Each structure stands twice: as C-alpha cells, then as structure tokens.
C-alpha cells in the first residue's frame, strides 16, 4: 500500500483515515480541499487543479483524500489502493456536524475544510443515490485489479486501521 486514494461523502471520515494511514505507512498525506481552496475559500481553476493532482500522483508514495469526481480518474489510474468510505447518510451527517463542533468553520492546518450550508447538506443527503454510483463506476473502470477497501462505519474503520497497523508491525523494515 504505497499510493492510496480515499473517497466518500463529506463527514465520512476521509481526512481522519488519511491522517492515520499517513502515520502508519509513513507516507505523505494530501487533503484535496487544501489543494483546491485558498485561504479565502476560492477554488483553483479546474485545469490547474488537475495539473496539481498529476504532480501529486507522480510520487512513489502518497495518500490523497477527497472526492472531486471530475478529476478522480487521475488518482484512480495512479493508485494501488482505493479506500471507499461507504458510510450511511446519517453517519456522514453526524460526522459533518461533530467535526464542525470540534474544529469550527474554515480551512484548518490539518487539511480539514469545514463548511456547513444547505448545498453541503443536500449533497450529503443525495450522495448515496446520485454520486455514489458514479464514484463506484469510476472505481470499476479506472482502478480495476487494484485493492479496493469498503469502510462502512466507524467500528469497521477502526478495525481496518488496526489491521494495517498490525501488518506494518509484522513486516520487516527496509
């Protein structure tokens, strides 16, 4: 596991999993929100955003979290592992609101980008019906034959991270 893409709905735990994997695998972590938005929440033009991702995936080891379905193909073609945060709508909403309560609004040094408005809530409410099928189709098309992990809730996520930690402690360091 050297090049990991983490996708899923807002509030699903993508950033948490990215940070934990980065720590466990000693790999650099990129939160795409921090790449896409500047300090004033202005988005990067699409062409520049795609170029930034091509540069990121050129590295030998990386973990990238974020959806951005329009450029997902870039990351899927380059990865060896896809982690799909496939949580329920209610779990995602709970995660979204609890993150906002813990960290406040705005972009933070940790890569967390918090904003709750009707657009975000609507996106979360419709994700499983509208966006999830599109993400899964891209995973099938551009990540065929690669490791794909589905994490369906907080407990499953914790167990999987413990498994990764166990595998790391058992494998010899090079």
């Amino acid at each position: 596991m050297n090049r990991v893409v983490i996708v899923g709905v807002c509030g699903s735990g993508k950033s948490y999993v990215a940070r934990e994997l980065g720590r466990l695998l000693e790999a650099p972590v990129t939160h795409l929100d921090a790449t896409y938005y500047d300090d004033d929440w202005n988005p990067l033009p699409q062409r520049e955003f795609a170029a930034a991702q091509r540069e990121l995936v050129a590295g030998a080891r990386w973990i990238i979290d974020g959806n951005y379905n329009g450029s997902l193909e870039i990351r899927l073609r380059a990865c060896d592992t896809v982690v799909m945060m496939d949580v329920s709508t209610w779990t995602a909403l709970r995660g979204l609101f609890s993150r906002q309560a813990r960290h406040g609004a705005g972009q933070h040094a940790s890569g967390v980008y918090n904003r709750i408005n009707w657009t975000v809530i609507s996106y979360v409410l419709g994700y499983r019906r509208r966006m999830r099928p599109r993400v899964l189709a891209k995973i099938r098309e551009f990540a065929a034959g690669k490791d794909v992990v589905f994490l369906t809730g907080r407990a499953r996520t914790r167990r999987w991270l413990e498994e990764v930690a166990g595998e790391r402690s058992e494998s010899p360091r090079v």
Side-chain angles (χ1 to χ4, degrees), residues 51-129:
Q53 288 177 74
R54 283 196 224 30
E55 196 172 302
L56 287 168
V57 301
R61 300 187 75 230
W62 44 263
I63 297 164
I64 301 174
D65 93 70
N67 286 315
Y68 300 96
N69 196 50
S71 59
L72 181 56
E73 176 183 347
I74 294 167
R75 288 167 275 137
L76 291 175
R77 286 187 183 277
C79 75
D80 59 35
T81 305
V82 178
V83 177
M84 174 69 174
M85 303 301 297
D86 202 21
V87 302
S88 72
T89 300
W90 296 116
T91 298
L93 286 170
R94 194 168 46 248
L96 187 68
F97 284 102
S98 68
R99 180 179 66 204
Q100 182 97 3
R102 284 190 319 275
H103 300 291
Q107 188 165 327
H108 304 276
S110 66
V112 173
Y113 182 78
N114 287 331
R115 66 173 179 190
I116 297 178
N117 56 38
W118 179 245
T119 302
V120 173
I121 292 169
S122 177
Y123 177 79
V124 172
L125 290 173
Y127 181 86
R128 291 193 70 77
R129 188 176 75 257

Side-chain angles (χ1 to χ4, degrees), residues 122-164:
S122 177
Y123 177 79
V124 172
L125 290 173
Y127 181 86
R128 291 193 70 77
R129 188 176 75 257
R130 288 191 297 267
M131 185 55 70
R132 182 180 179 273
R134 294 169 57 196
V135 171
L136 293 175
K138 284 191 176 182
I139 290 171
R140 279 191 301 276
E141 183 175 356
F142 302 116
K146 300 178 182 186
D147 290 331
V148 179
V149 178
F150 286 86
L151 300 178
T152 55
R154 304 291 191 240
R156 172 70 183 110
T157 299
R158 281 190 298 278
R159 282 192 310 273
W160 182 73
L161 288 168
E162 288 168 4
E163 291 169 16
V164 171

